[in-house]
Amino acid sequence: MTKLKTIVEELLSQFVGGEAYFDKLDEVLRDPKNFDIIQNLFSSLSDSNVIMSGKFGYYALELFDNGLISVNSLIVVNGGLRKGEVKDIEVRNLHKNSAYVFVDDSFYKGRTRDKVAEFISKFHCDISHMRVVYDVSIEKDNSVTSMYRYHS
């Protein structure tokens, strides 16, 4: 059993899903003992422009600033975008008129991705695809690559 599958199963034994589950997943993924999962998530993105949001994004920004992950460009916006708007932004090497990969801890309906896409379009950029740790969407979205997919 993979480490990620073990984490998912442990969390599902504690939570029925929902926001509390996803908040805990985000927290567990930011734990330094799970850095190998983050390394795997970013392993093929060293030449990519990446945009992220929330605590997971700010964690990746810290890793980037400390040289622990490598990407071409990194933008991080505030969390809570499913219910709000972009208010805060941190940028490392903005590339206007470019495609970005949206990286997140989880994917369900794509509301956060859609808000991020709307925001980044102001810089004449778009989201080429999405890379996530955990995909719980019922119908597979072909623009999303995940490390773990709940529904097969």
Side-chain angles (χ1 to χ4, degrees):
M1 180 178 303
T2 68
K3 181 178 185 178
L4 182 55
K5 185 174 182 179
T6 301
I7 290 169
V8 168
E9 289 180 359
E10 284 177 13
L11 291 177
L12 287 174
S13 72
Q14 299 170 30
F15 300 92
V16 182
E19 196 162 339
Y21 169 81
F22 288 105
D23 287 346
K24 188 64 177 179
L25 176 64
D26 179 83
E27 179 185 323
V28 168
L29 292 173
R30 289 182 283 116
D31 187 317
K33 71 180 180 187
N34 295 319
F35 177 65
D36 57 319
I37 295 171
I38 305 307
Q39 281 183 308
N40 190 338
L41 181 67
F42 280 88
S43 65
S44 64
L45 298 176
S46 62
D47 293 328
S48 299
N49 300 318
V50 172
I51 187 163
M52 301 179 72
S53 68
K55 292 177 185 175
F56 192 65
Y58 289 110
Y59 173 63
L61 184 67
E62 182 181 322
L63 297 174
F64 177 82
D65 286 345
N66 288 308
L68 298 173
I69 59 171
S70 176
V71 295
N72 190 38
S73 169
L74 180 60
I75 300 173
V76 179
V77 298
N78 57 282
L81 295 179
R82 291 182 319 274
K83 303 172 188 170
E85 299 298 321
V86 173
K87 298 176 193 152
D88 300 313
I89 178 172
E90 290 280 341
V91 179
R92 304 295 187 268
N93 308 323
L94 174 67
H95 292 276
K96 293 182 178 180
N97 304 309
S98 297
Y100 275 75
V101 178
F102 181 50
V103 176
D104 209 353
D105 58 329
S106 59
F107 178 77
Y108 178 50
K109 291 184 178 179
R111 291 180 291 195
T112 301
R113 176 199 54 199
D114 296 345
K115 291 277 188 162
V116 168
E118 179 184 324
F119 169 76
I120 202 167
S121 71
K122 296 174 184 175
F123 301 100
H124 305 284
C125 298
D126 62 359
I127 294 176
S128 61
H129 66 282
M130 189 169 176
R131 187 158 168 83
V132 299
V133 175
Y134 183 72
D135 180 355
V136 71
S137 62
I138 294 170
E139 290 188 28
K140 173 76 173 116
D141 183 323
N142 291 328
S143 69
V144 177
T145 303
S146 63
M147 295 172 67
Y148 183 97
R149 180 155 165 73
Y150 183 77
H151 299 283
S152 47

